[in-house]
Amino acid sequence: MTQASDSRDSELAASLSPEASAAEGSSTCPPSADAQLPKANEGTADLAVLRTQVVNALRDWYVMALDSIASLLDGRFLQQPPKDLWLLGRHYDIEVQPGEQGWAGGYPPDVIDDFGRLIWCTYRSQYPAIAQSDFTTDAGWGCMLRAGQTLMAQALQLHHFGRDWGFSWDSALDEHVRRRQLYVGIVEQFLDDYTPSSTFSIQRMAAMGRQFEGKDIGEWFGPYGTARILRGLAHQASHEVSVYTTTDGVVYLADVCEAEFKPTLILVASMLGIDRVNPVYYPFIQASLMLPQSAGIAGGRPSSALYFAGFQGDELLYLDPHYTRPAVARREHSSYSQADLATYSCANPRRIALSRLDPCMVFGYYCATLESLVDLRSRVELLADDGVKVIMTFDNGHAPEMALPSETPASGVDTANTEDGQQALAARLPETPSSGTSTSSSRSTSGEIVLEADCSEEEWVTEL
């Protein structure tokens, strides 16, 4: 397999622009190693680049061969792909009409453009050694941390941009400049160093993993440990986006809505089977990626972490962190070029069958407002009402181990789950509008929050 030349790197990132062409969107992925290399000892640096190029090419061949063999064994190799595709809550009809030619790469330009805007975090090398270790790369052990970074990055893009955005790197228009600066600011939070703005760097994640999980640098992390690390780093930095985690599938609203609500990424860690995902959970996995709050899923195949952003039929679209590139050198915020950050995007969606997934995964949901949180609850409960096996529920109180001291009397009864506690929470949730106005939440006379599903957009449920 031939590796794309360095000139293709800049073309990959062109998908960040709404003006990107279909040809640009079909760039080979992964891109070649980043050109930003240390000036000292260039011979050693060139050798390292050559080695990563060979490893990445072998990885690319291995994944393609593995996916092809699996498709053949599953009887999907010669089947026509379903025409419906979902990508982080957005639906695309990719059916080729009679007389029309297919698209390069198998997807229409708008899908390639949307997928290419995802921030892709992968293995990096040639960065400063992680504290208390000699590791200058996370290749071989950091794939789940990188999948978690990718999930967090999508939440930050939803926070700053929503789902409808794009910019041109060369445009001087104020809105394009603003979006470009925001995009660079998001990527900087994942650069591989100890700079304060690198909130979720691999160095900080590994250090937090030692504190939370007791793991030495170089040990593999699981989905739940990664979720806890993201929550700890966001809390440590007083981040503008709060991170809430749960492993029992219960989202305690009093914990999410404490004091004043702030934009929140909800991470639900779950194990959906033993060796493989139990098929009973397939509909929920698909429905989760149809939700407007979806920030994706960090999971993978056995012993190999991936980030899932959408699905087409019974296959999930994913980004693979198992490609090693040199760390991007930090520079002045306004000095990054399109080529500098090209390796943080990928314009080649790959698919993996639901039947091949590892059962351990973390589901991410970004709620910008209280109304968005209420809507998420409504949609999940609507799924449950329609017979979908859901992995999460909502409770108005505090988690037992997180109950506030003032709300836990000597008897051990958590008043957050009593009528008074529910009324206190209700005061922070959206008010019930006057009669004749539609709402996704209301409060019963007992003080309990009752969420009524607004089904004006329930096509996303019936599509299943």
Side-chain angles (χ1 to χ4, degrees):
M1 176 177 294
T2 59
Q3 190 73 16
S5 65
D6 287 348
S7 63
R8 297 291 286 169
D9 284 352
S10 60
E11 295 180 17
L12 278 171
S15 59
L16 294 172
S17 169
E19 295 86 3
S21 67
E24 292 170 328
S26 62
S27 301
T28 301
C29 189
S32 59
D34 190 272
Q36 298 297 322
L37 298 172
K39 295 300 182 183
N41 199 351
E42 291 186 357
T44 302
D46 290 341
L47 181 61
V49 169
L50 178 61
R51 182 176 62 184
T52 57
Q53 286 179 336
V54 171
V55 172
N56 289 343
L58 290 174
R59 171 72 184 181
D60 218 19
W61 176 86
Y62 168 77
V63 171
M64 292 179 65
L66 190 65
D67 290 345
S68 297
I69 293 172
S71 298
L72 184 62
L73 294 177
D74 292 344
R76 294 178 286 107
F77 191 76
L78 298 178
Q79 292 180 358
Q80 187 71 17
K83 66 181 182 64
D84 293 310
L85 182 148
W86 286 85
L87 185 62
L88 295 183
R90 176 159 295 174
H91 174 257
Y92 293 95
D93 185 346
I94 60 172
E95 183 178 18
V96 178
Q97 299 299 325
E100 293 183 352
Q101 292 184 343
W103 304 285
Y107 295 100
D110 53 348
V111 172
I112 296 297
D113 185 57
D114 197 5
F115 191 85
R117 285 196 292 263
L118 301 176
I119 292 177
W120 185 25
C121 298
T122 67
Y123 288 154
R124 295 283 168 172
S125 63
Q126 303 177 42
Y127 51 66
I130 300 176
Q132 302 181 30
S133 78
D134 296 325
F135 284 96
T136 58
T137 179
D138 54 297
W141 59 272
C143 58
M144 180 52 73
L145 297 181
R146 295 299 187 179
Q149 285 182 329
T150 303
L151 193 159
M152 187 74 208
Q154 307 326 316
L156 296 182
Q157 289 199 112
L158 289 172
H159 176 67
H160 287 289
F161 302 120
R163 285 293 280 116
D164 294 301
W165 68 280
F167 64 85
S168 172
W169 279 92
D170 300 324
S171 176
L173 295 176
D174 290 345
E175 183 60 20
H176 286 256
V177 172
R178 185 187 72 84
R179 291 181 180 181
R180 183 167 63 247
Q181 291 176 343
L182 285 173
Y183 177 80
V184 170
I186 294 172
V187 173
E188 280 189 322
Q189 296 187 51
F190 302 94
L191 294 185
D192 306 290
D193 56 39
Y194 287 100
T195 304
S197 60
S198 297
T199 308
F200 304 102
S201 69
I202 195 70
Q203 287 87 346
R204 295 185 187 279
M205 295 188 77
M208 187 67 72
R210 180 192 291 265
Q211 176 183 339
F212 278 179
E213 301 295 308
K215 290 183 178 291
D216 291 330
I217 309 300
E219 289 192 65
W220 192 84
F221 288 82
Y224 176 54
T226 299
R228 290 189 67 199
I229 289 169
L230 291 172
R231 178 177 183 172
L233 290 175
H235 177 75
Q236 188 179 73
S238 299
H239 202 275
E240 59 188 324
V241 174
S242 177
V243 178
Y244 175 90
T245 60
T246 176
T247 56
D248 61 2
V250 181
V251 177
Y252 291 94
L253 297 178
D255 295 329
V256 178
C257 304
E258 281 187 300
E260 183 177 348
F261 180 85
K262 64 184 295 187
T264 300
L265 171 63
I266 297 174
L267 297 177
V268 182
S270 187
M271 185 168 182
L272 308 182
I274 301 177
D275 297 322
R276 291 288 191 272
V277 175
N278 189 321
V280 72
Y281 293 109
Y282 290 177
F284 180 79
I285 295 173
Q286 294 169 314
S288 177
L289 294 169
M290 298 165 72
L291 294 169
Q293 294 87 357
S294 178
I297 303 171
R301 55 170 68 91
S303 303
S304 184
L306 303 170
Y307 167 79
F308 305 116
F311 72 94
Q312 185 180 5
D314 64 350
E315 295 179 307
L316 300 188
L317 277 67
Y318 67 87
L319 286 171
D320 187 347
H322 299 87
Y323 293 96
T324 306
R325 291 77 170 268
V328 174
R330 179 175 292 277
R331 57 185 62 195
E332 291 295 326
H333 187 81
S334 59
S335 300
Y336 292 97
S337 68
Q338 182 176 355
D340 291 332
L341 304 183
T343 55
Y344 280 93
S345 64
C346 175
N348 182 20
R350 287 202 173 118
R351 303 192 300 267
I352 181 173
L354 286 162
S355 60
R356 296 176 56 206
L357 301 185
D358 186 273
C360 296
M361 54 187 70
V362 174
F363 294 76
Y365 308 96
Y366 171 73
C367 297
T369 63
L370 274 171
E371 288 77 10
S372 179
L373 176 60
V374 169
D375 180 69
L376 174 63
R377 178 175 179 174
S378 298
R379 290 174 183 268
V380 171
E381 292 180 345
L382 181 60
L383 284 170
D385 291 343
D386 283 358
V388 175
K389 183 73 172 178
V390 301
I391 67 164
M392 57 190 296
T393 59
F394 295 81
D395 187 285
N396 290 340
H398 288 283
E401 70 277 10
M402 296 180 62
L404 300 179
S406 61
E407 295 179 333
T408 307
S411 63
V413 177
D414 183 3
T415 58
N417 294 315
T418 65
E419 181 175 327
D420 290 341
Q422 292 166 350
Q423 288 177 338
L425 174 62
R428 296 196 292 270
L429 288 172
E431 293 291 337
T432 303
S434 59
S435 177
T437 304
S438 62
T439 180
S440 58
S441 68
S442 61
R443 186 150 53 96
S444 69
T445 56
S446 66
E448 180 179 1
I449 307 303
V450 180
L451 299 173
E452 301 170 355
D454 182 356
C455 303
S456 59
E457 297 180 347
E458 66 179 17
E459 292 84 357
W460 64 275
V461 175
T462 57
E463 288 284 346
L464 295 176

